[in-house]
Amino acid sequence: MKINDEERTKKMEKLREEILNVLSCYDQNRISIVTLGSHSALNILKGAKEEGFKAICLCRESERIIYESFGVADEIIGIDDYSDLLKKEFQKRIAEMNGILIPHGSFNAYIGNLEELKIPVFGNRELMYHETVREMQDRWLKEAGLETPRVIEKPEEIDRLVIVKFPGAKGGKGYFLAVDYDDFIKKSSEIVKSGLASKDDIKNAFIQEYIVGANVYFSFFYSPAYERVELIAVDRRYEADVDGLGKVPSSIQIKADISPTYTVIGNFPVVLRESLLSQALRAAENVVEVSKKIAHPGMVGPFCLEAVFDENARMKVFEISARIVAGTNVGIPVSPYSYILFGENMYMGRRISREIKLGIERGILDRMIF
Ligand code: AMP
Ligand code: AMP
């Protein structure tokens, strides 16, 4: 896959024009903030209400209890499946509400093809597409000059400890560690048997050097209004069953032949050793610069750099997300970093709505939408 596929660029430019046309028909004094009920919707909807917008949640029956019990939505619209968002009737309804969609992890994980979506999305959906293709992500990070774990092209070439990942934002589900080709074959057949991944997933697996160290996830926000990168929150994940392994004595681990996987269960807030922030802030600025070259107009709003700091406290970035990540939920109502920046309660959901408000006030909403 070419990072600058000319045909795709043209197609996306045309789509962008269509979206801007829809936006030009909106009454910007009556904007609604719309999202799917999952992932970080409580964060997004609460933020929308705190900034004075109407908050709309599209959710399945199974999750309705969450959004009803917290009372964060002005309106809950029932859907049978996340992909209903692509249906014309729902899109029409959202456009009638002057709705701006806030994408999160479920958009990539459960919907995929955002090209069918003809309503304004806050952010840059072309960069969200980059996020779904690991090879494109990797090139983006490298072009930004970041240190990344080595990518192993074929399972036969595994010559060190690796982590095997599957396509899409599946929150670490089914990932496994392998030390060589035989180990890869053994573990992949176990994973397929257990139903955590399909044969196709294994065929399309992304094999990456495993970095031993401290995991840190940095949630940044690029503001077109202030033309700056802001660090909003930092977290680390709580993962099953890799985080549970420490409770099992090593002698038993060996006998039980336990192979950890990385299903995400939750997140913890992190405050970084201050001198290490320079690596993260520089990395974020470089990533934003490169984003302008690979997907006009570049980064807008939330993005996350997922890193491991090794024993020399060097940051290696193994993944980038070009939208709000669920780890920002640890920063509601405020994180140490967002407090230092804003001096008030500020969290990613609210920061998104604040930027939309600034976009409306300054007449630059079209720069924030795709
Ligand atoms: P859910 O609505 O919980 O199924 O989440 C939607 C997608 O986002 C799934 O692919 C999840 O694995 C992923 N996800 C949800 N919560 C988190 C989290 N706290 N950290 C990382 N990924 C997550
Ligand atoms: P991801 O879906 O890429 O966010 O990865 C899920 C989890 O796998 C992370 O939270 C880490 O615990 C772990 N992980 C992923 N890639 C690496 C890597 N290259 N080195 C070490 N740990 C990793």
Side-chain angles (χ1 to χ4, degrees):
M1 181 109 22
K2 275 193 249 140
I3 210 159
N4 275 324
D5 183 330
E6 245 174 68
E7 233 169 79
R8 185 172 169 89
T9 307
K10 270 191 206 141
K11 201 165 113 193
M12 295 312 276
E13 272 168 11
K14 193 167 158 269
L15 178 61
R16 189 150 195 276
E17 258 169 51
E18 271 182 74
I19 306 287
L20 290 176
N21 266 337
V22 176
L23 184 70
S24 67
C25 302
Y26 274 18
D27 177 350
Q28 292 199 7
N29 296 315
R30 291 173 55 240
I31 293 286
S32 307
I33 299 298
V34 186
T35 199
L36 290 174
S38 65
H39 191 267
S40 46
L42 290 173
N43 190 337
I44 293 166
L45 298 168
K46 182 72 183 169
K49 282 181 77 74
E50 286 211 295
E51 290 299 307
F53 291 110
K54 196 170 172 199
I56 315 285
C57 180
L58 271 71
C59 86
R60 303 184 302 191
E61 234 10 78
S62 46
E63 282 87 21
R64 183 180 279 270
I65 185 171
I66 304 173
Y67 305 98
E68 272 181 358
S69 72
F70 286 101
V72 285
D74 293 298
E75 193 176 336
I76 295 181
I77 299 175
I79 49 175
D80 292 326
D81 190 79
Y82 294 122
S83 60
D84 283 355
L85 183 60
L86 299 180
K87 289 187 180 156
K88 284 212 170 93
E89 56 178 289
F90 284 102
Q91 298 200 32
K92 188 164 167 264
R93 214 161 143 191
I94 295 170
E96 281 165 2
M97 294 170 167
N98 304 294
I100 294 179
L101 261 177
I102 313 300
H104 52 55
S106 297
F107 286 66
N108 278 350
Y110 306 128
I111 302 180
N113 186 8
L114 297 183
E115 288 158 45
E116 300 294 309
L117 203 53
K118 308 285 182 186
I119 36 180
V121 165
F122 178 77
N124 184 333
R125 61 176 99 187
E126 186 58 359
L127 291 174
M128 284 181 67
Y129 169 68
H130 269 68
E131 176 191 328
T132 62
V133 185
R134 291 200 191 271
E135 290 75 9
M136 289 173 101
Q137 265 197 42
D138 195 55
R139 250 178 285 176
W140 179 6
L141 296 174
K142 285 211 174 84
E143 238 182 283
L146 308 194
E147 250 187 274
T148 55
R150 207 175 136 193
V151 176
I152 314 285
E153 301 296 337
K154 294 186 210 136
E156 292 84 344
E157 290 169 9
I158 298 174
D159 61 349
R160 63 191 71 201
L161 179 62
V162 296
I163 181 163
V164 181
K165 306 182 178 187
F166 305 116
K170 290 193 178 148
K173 196 172 149 202
Y175 289 8
F176 63 90
L177 299 183
V179 287
D180 55 28
Y181 181 58
D182 289 347
D183 198 26
F184 173 90
I185 295 294
K186 179 175 165 265
K187 304 257 178 68
S188 41
S189 69
E190 281 166 11
I191 289 281
V192 171
K193 239 187 262 162
S194 71
L196 280 172
S198 67
K199 277 190 180 156
D200 259 2
D201 285 337
I202 300 284
K203 219 164 54 195
N204 298 317
F206 184 74
I207 307 170
Q208 197 178 49
E209 172 186 12
Y210 185 88
I211 310 291
V212 179
N215 284 53
V216 187
Y217 295 74
F218 295 93
S219 283
F220 292 100
F221 187 92
Y222 180 73
S223 161
Y226 296 145
E227 293 183 358
R228 69 175 189 191
V229 176
E230 300 165 357
L231 178 58
I232 301 292
V234 186
D235 75 288
R236 56 159 288 215
R237 288 188 186 173
Y238 193 31
E239 293 162 336
D241 44 9
V242 68
D243 283 321
L245 268 185
K247 295 179 202 156
V248 181
S250 61
S251 55
I252 297 186
Q253 284 183 28
I254 291 165
K255 284 187 200 137
D257 192 19
I258 300 170
S259 183
T261 69
Y262 296 81
T263 305
V264 65
I265 303 298
N267 307 76
F268 303 104
V270 172
V271 178
L272 212 70
R273 181 173 152 186
E274 193 158 302
S275 55
L276 301 181
L277 283 175
S278 59
Q279 293 183 58
L281 291 168
R282 255 184 236 119
E285 283 182 0
N286 293 347
V287 157
V288 169
E289 273 319 300
V290 175
S291 75
K292 291 176 188 162
K293 282 193 251 164
I294 61 180
H296 174 80
M299 189 70 80
V300 172
F303 64 102
C304 177
L305 295 180
E306 305 185 7
V308 184
F309 283 83
D310 68 12
E311 77 273 22
N312 299 314
R314 280 185 77 88
M315 184 177 90
K316 306 220 166 131
V317 177
F318 62 85
E319 188 152 335
I320 179 166
S321 300
R323 36 116 191 137
I324 184 172
V325 297
T328 60
N329 296 344
V330 302
I332 304 170
V334 75
S335 84
Y337 301 110
S338 65
Y339 183 74
I340 294 165
L341 262 174
F342 290 91
E344 62 175 319
N345 281 345
M346 189 53 70
Y347 48 97
M348 197 57 93
R350 184 170 186 185
R351 184 63 191 89
I352 291 169
S353 283
R354 175 70 59 90
E355 188 75 5
I356 292 173
K357 213 155 93 177
L358 286 168
I360 295 167
E361 282 165 15
R362 297 179 180 196
I364 54 167
L365 194 54
D366 57 339
R367 284 197 226 156
M368 302 172 180
I369 294 302
F370 181 16

